Amino acid sequence: MIMAVLFHCEWEEGEQILQDLSAQIPDMDIRIWPDVGDPTEIEFAIVWKLPHGELAKCPNLRAILSPGAGVDHLFEDLDLPDDVPIGRLIDPLMADRMAEYTASLTLWSHRRFDDYAVLQSRKVWQQVAQKDAKDRGVGILGLGALGLASARCLRPFGFALSGWSRTAKSEPGVTCYHGDDTLAQFLGGAEVLICLLPLTSATRGILNAATFGQMPAGAYLINCARGALVVEDDLLAALDSGQLSGAALDVFDIEPLPDDNPLWTHPKVRITPHVSSLTAAETAAPMLAAQILQVQRGEPLDGRVDPGAEY
Ligand code: NDP
Ligand code: OXD
């Protein structure tokens, strides 16, 4: 019987991932969706935002692999087969890329460059009060692969670092909180909040009027995870009231961000187009090929997702 891989990834890097995969698993028949052929021949799916219902048509799937770190795009498919292992990328290069982004924006906010940009626009020579890093609380929502890399990148600056996760964690130089009961306490110390949570049923809309209200007045939000973690109207209200001093947003509920979205022109918002940590073919293709081989050999799957937790 022919065994095939279904591939769907519309990123610019998708073409290179495909080429590298073809070289690394030459005996596999890679089929680019929608040219699935006989769906009973599909053994593996490497898919990003595949239209919902398509995986359910492949009865012999042995693994579903995300070419990114997030798997919310899979769990949003109500017809996702529930008995097939799901793998995601845990890639040190992506962690480095994310840490560069979150550290840059943390320093940007800490050193008040937005305030200086406003003063410059008015030709005002004025020094703004500056805290030392040890007095600046930086909180990281999500202490997983990317959250931990961000914490480790920021640690040498001496910030008062804290992190929040679902299960207990221990990380030098980071005050670790876990579980819903500790969220308010964690947020109370987050003058800069870096969001690196997966989007799940438990985290959707977690950043809202109530949780913004638990942060110190004038806190700064950096969201690199998923747009739907944030209630956008509440974010706009918190920015307008001054509860938040600003936000750096890389991800949005609807991407690309529609032209008429007020975030585009909000003076306190910095926008990047979902670039904080792009998948790199150079590292992703070998990891995806290795995941396929692991399943074929009956070995544990790297980056295996817990379907109950949705990440
Ligand atoms: P991980 O799964 O490694 O880490 C997720 C972290 O969130 C873990 O610490 C986990 O807790 C915590 N968490 C999950 N659910 C809850 C909850 N209900 N309450 C408290 N904590 C929770 O993910 P990654 O670090 O690899 O990636 C994080 C997200 O970043 C991805 O899901 C994706 O959406 C986004 N991303 C964005 C990119 C971009 O370019 N903008 C690029 C790559 C990823 P615990 O440790 O206890 O399990
Ligand atoms: C990812 C992403 O999850 O790029 O990898 O958003």
Side-chain angles (χ1 to χ4, degrees), residues 279-311:
T279 293
E282 140 194 27
T283 45
M287 285 184 190
L288 292 162
Q291 285 171 315
I292 287 178
L293 294 178
Q294 284 158 1
V295 175
Q296 284 184 320
R297 293 194 203 109
E299 295 168 3
L301 174 64
D302 283 344
R304 185 159 181 178
V305 163
D306 171 1
E310 300 171 32
Y311 72 95

Side-chain angles (χ1 to χ4, degrees), residues 244-292:
L244 292 183
S245 60
L249 307 173
D250 185 51
V251 285
F252 302 88
D253 200 8
I254 301 173
E255 297 181 1
L257 186 63
D259 283 356
D260 60 355
N261 188 301
L263 289 169
W264 271 121
T265 49
H266 198 288
K268 294 181 177 173
V269 174
R270 302 199 156 263
I271 287 179
T272 49
H274 202 137
V275 291
S276 49
S277 175
L278 296 176
T279 293
E282 140 194 27
T283 45
M287 285 184 190
L288 292 162
Q291 285 171 315
I292 287 178

